[in-house]
Amino acid sequence: PETTATTPAKNEHSRLYRTAARAPTLRVDYFKRTSPFLLHWRNMVRLALTAAFMLAAASNTAAFTPATPSFVSSKLAATSLASTSTSFNLDEYLLSKKGPVEKALDDSVQSIGPQTEKVCESMKYSLMAGGKRIRPVLCIAACEMFGGTYEQCMPTAVALEMIHTMSLIHDDLPSMDNDDLRRGKPTNHVVYGEDIAILAGDALLSTSFEHVARHTENVTPERVLDVIARLGKSVGAVGLAGGQVMDLECEAKTDVTLDDLRWIHTHKTATLLQVAVAAGAILGGATPEEVEACEKYALDIGLAFQVADDILDVTASTEDLGKTAAKDLAADKTTYVKLMGLDGAKEEARRLTDEAKEALAPFGDRAAPLLGIADYIIERKN
């Protein structure tokens, strides 16, 4: 240590060191990353501690693990979220991902001959019917937040959209929601028949696992296996299937509680969004603690997504939605609007979104795309 007189910059340096000392896992890595920055810092006037931590979080090297992010003050979290919301352009980000995602989806289903043309055509009809592609983008954004690449996460991004598309094909069947419009087009069973639609959904589901296993590159086998296991769980009894069964059983019932509704949509809607973010984080190299923070964010936005859907079902037109409006009302389904009222549902959506953002506060500006998507989910019009 130097023994010259104390300067304002050194005082600031001491404050920074004391703060870092409260988190032993950060100390060595932090000063390794920021030593060049501290050389320049000597010529600057009393930089805020908040700015220093935001710069550290933005580094491309290993980030801190938010197992217990108590060292992040509420003031820092609020500052980070506010600056992100004003500086990040979500439209530009989504547009930059659209081309690569659409190409990867288009390439993922190819017929090998006349025998497979019909089922592949049916699979592609729904897979390439448009949509927001929220799940692939969530996966990519989470992977990039931890320094990952397209090559590492795109196969999983495609698999997520395959699983989601399967769920839509099956949801629309006469034996389920019995809908004839999806994304502004006739539903799969209307075009290809109920038998082919069921098989196309089955094929998309099985192909999703194969696609991850066969095409993921530059990721350890343990992480790839973890992702595949999470994808499988997301469509089982404690995932899409279980949530859908509970949803069907609660139709026209008068004693359904808010806890029942949350269980339904935690599994039917939020689980796949949760896997999207967690899988992206895993593929990008996140620690278990970092994955857990991502899962908390995704669970909240998954529930907020369903609350927003329930609101749109009673406030938007069929033309705006691209599917039949007021369908849940006609089927006497239990919804957040039904249990909480329209204003209560809007408040719940905002509460969930705020909680989701808080979960990502430790990651600073690196979380900007995920924070923007959280807002988009409750502000969308379809």
Side-chain angles (χ1 to χ4, degrees):
E2 295 180 332
T3 57
T4 54
T6 302
T7 66
K10 286 191 174 70
N11 286 336
E12 197 69 21
H13 183 193
S14 298
R15 289 173 54 207
L16 180 60
Y17 182 86
R18 289 196 300 273
T19 301
R22 291 198 295 271
T25 59
L26 306 182
R27 188 164 56 246
V28 174
D29 186 54
Y30 178 79
F31 284 111
K32 280 182 181 178
R33 294 201 310 274
T34 56
S35 55
F37 169 68
L38 293 175
L39 292 175
H40 294 286
W41 195 9
R42 298 165 189 253
N43 300 320
M44 302 174 67
V45 182
R46 299 187 64 83
L47 288 178
L49 179 61
T50 299
F53 270 100
M54 288 175 66
L55 285 169
S59 170
N60 289 329
T61 56
F64 59 81
T65 57
T68 54
S70 58
F71 56 87
V72 180
S73 70
S74 58
K75 183 177 181 181
L76 171 58
T79 301
S80 176
L81 297 181
S83 62
T84 296
S85 64
T86 57
S87 62
F88 180 74
N89 189 317
L90 180 63
D91 289 338
E92 288 183 3
Y93 182 81
L94 294 176
L95 186 62
S96 73
K97 306 303 178 190
K98 184 175 177 58
V101 168
E102 294 296 332
K103 184 180 186 306
L105 290 171
D106 191 38
D107 292 343
S108 67
V109 177
Q110 301 292 334
S111 175
I112 61 171
Q115 299 89 345
T116 60
E117 282 182 6
K118 187 65 169 287
V119 68
C120 287
E121 181 184 325
S122 178
M123 292 164 70
K124 266 197 161 180
Y125 174 80
S126 293
L127 187 63
M128 302 306 297
K132 296 172 284 293
R133 309 305 191 196
I134 288 295
R135 291 153 192 83
V137 174
L138 283 169
C139 181
I140 294 169
C143 185
E144 289 179 339
M145 186 166 75
F146 295 101
T149 65
Y150 271 3
E151 291 72 21
Q152 291 173 309
C153 66
M154 189 61 81
T156 298
V158 168
L160 288 158
E161 195 66 11
M162 286 181 172
I163 293 172
H164 176 56
T165 301
M166 173 278 297
S167 73
L168 299 182
I169 293 173
H170 287 179
D171 263 359
D172 292 335
L173 291 169
S175 59
M176 303 281 275
D177 287 351
N178 192 24
D179 214 331
D180 57 5
L181 192 65
R182 172 71 67 178
R183 292 172 174 168
K185 299 179 180 180
T187 48
N188 198 290
H189 69 272
V190 171
V191 177
Y192 295 97
E194 190 172 350
D195 50 357
I196 301 300
I198 292 171
L199 293 170
D202 293 345
L204 283 168
L205 178 59
S206 59
T207 303
S208 70
F209 304 120
E210 177 193 3
H211 198 76
V212 175
R214 192 179 295 278
H215 297 291
T216 304
E217 298 179 358
N218 301 319
V219 180
T220 64
E222 292 81 8
R223 288 183 180 263
V224 175
L225 184 60
D226 189 3
V227 167
I228 293 173
R230 288 169 184 263
L231 288 170
K233 183 178 179 182
S234 75
V235 293
V238 288
L240 287 170
Q244 179 68 14
V245 168
M246 185 74 167
D247 193 23
L248 291 170
E249 289 186 341
C250 287
E251 285 185 10
K253 284 188 176 180
T254 59
D255 59 347
V256 180
T257 67
L258 195 56
D259 285 341
D260 292 332
L261 192 61
R262 285 179 177 139
W263 195 97
I264 290 169
H265 294 300
T266 292
H267 298 87
K268 180 182 175 182
T269 306
T271 293
L272 194 57
L273 291 167
Q274 207 170 18
V275 173
V277 182
I282 291 165
L283 295 167
T287 66
E289 293 80 10
E290 289 167 336
V291 173
E292 185 178 346
C294 290
E295 287 182 307
K296 167 59 179 167
Y297 157 85
L299 175 61
D300 283 332
I301 67 163
L303 291 174
F305 191 98
Q306 185 59 50
V307 178
D309 262 7
D310 289 354
I311 292 169
L312 289 170
D313 188 63
V314 298
T315 60
S317 66
T318 296
E319 291 73 24
D320 289 337
L321 290 176
K323 60 182 180 180
T324 306
K327 188 75 177 178
D328 291 342
L329 185 63
D332 198 19
K333 282 193 172 185
T334 302
T335 67
Y336 285 95
V337 174
K338 184 176 180 180
L339 293 185
M340 306 179 76
L342 185 57
D343 289 340
K346 289 179 179 179
E347 290 177 7
E348 177 70 357
R350 174 49 62 189
R351 182 190 68 80
L352 289 164
T353 302
D354 289 344
E355 280 190 4
K357 290 182 173 183
E358 288 173 10
L360 297 185
F363 305 115
D365 285 348
R366 291 183 299 151
L370 294 176
L371 296 173
I373 291 170
D375 283 329
Y376 165 76
I377 279 175
I378 64 168
E379 293 169 1
R380 61 196 167 93
K381 304 303 180 185
N382 57 32

mmCIF file of all heavy atoms in Angstrom, residues 68 104 188 359 376:
data_model
loop_
_atom_site.group_PDB
_atom_site.id
_atom_site.type_symbol
_atom_site.label_atom_id
_atom_site.label_comp_id
_atom_site.label_asym_id
_atom_site.label_seq_id
_atom_site.Cartn_x
_atom_site.Cartn_y
_atom_site.Cartn_z
ATOM 1 N N THR A 68 -27.362 -14.701 -1.933
ATOM 2 C CA THR A 68 -28.059 -13.879 -0.952
ATOM 3 C C THR A 68 -27.722 -12.433 -1.263
ATOM 4 O O THR A 68 -26.761 -11.895 -0.724
ATOM 5 C CB THR A 68 -27.598 -14.217 0.482
ATOM 6 O OG1 THR A 68 -26.164 -14.118 0.549
ATOM 7 C CG2 THR A 68 -28.028 -15.621 0.865
ATOM 8 N N ALA A 104 -33.759 -20.330 -37.642
ATOM 9 C CA ALA A 104 -33.496 -21.570 -36.910
ATOM 10 C C ALA A 104 -34.757 -22.430 -36.808
ATOM 11 O O ALA A 104 -34.689 -23.664 -36.928
ATOM 12 C CB ALA A 104 -32.954 -21.244 -35.520
ATOM 13 N N ASN A 188 -54.654 -25.717 -36.371
ATOM 14 C CA ASN A 188 -54.059 -26.844 -37.082
ATOM 15 C C ASN A 188 -55.074 -27.922 -37.421
ATOM 16 O O ASN A 188 -55.107 -28.435 -38.551
ATOM 17 C CB ASN A 188 -52.922 -27.428 -36.238
ATOM 18 C CG ASN A 188 -51.988 -28.297 -37.049
ATOM 19 O OD1 ASN A 188 -52.358 -29.383 -37.482
ATOM 20 N ND2 ASN A 188 -50.760 -27.844 -37.225
ATOM 21 N N ALA A 359 -35.708 -9.467 -8.649
ATOM 22 C CA ALA A 359 -34.899 -10.689 -8.647
ATOM 23 C C ALA A 359 -33.643 -10.536 -9.499
ATOM 24 O O ALA A 359 -32.636 -11.208 -9.266
ATOM 25 C CB ALA A 359 -35.732 -11.869 -9.145
ATOM 26 N N TYR A 376 -42.910 -5.562 -21.234
ATOM 27 C CA TYR A 376 -43.653 -5.865 -22.466
ATOM 28 C C TYR A 376 -44.775 -6.866 -22.201
ATOM 29 O O TYR A 376 -45.877 -6.752 -22.761
ATOM 30 C CB TYR A 376 -42.692 -6.426 -23.512
ATOM 31 C CG TYR A 376 -43.392 -7.095 -24.671
ATOM 32 C CD1 TYR A 376 -43.999 -6.342 -25.665
ATOM 33 C CD2 TYR A 376 -43.469 -8.489 -24.754
ATOM 34 C CE1 TYR A 376 -44.668 -6.950 -26.720
ATOM 35 C CE2 TYR A 376 -44.120 -9.111 -25.799
ATOM 36 C CZ TYR A 376 -44.720 -8.339 -26.777
ATOM 37 O OH TYR A 376 -45.380 -8.959 -27.804
#
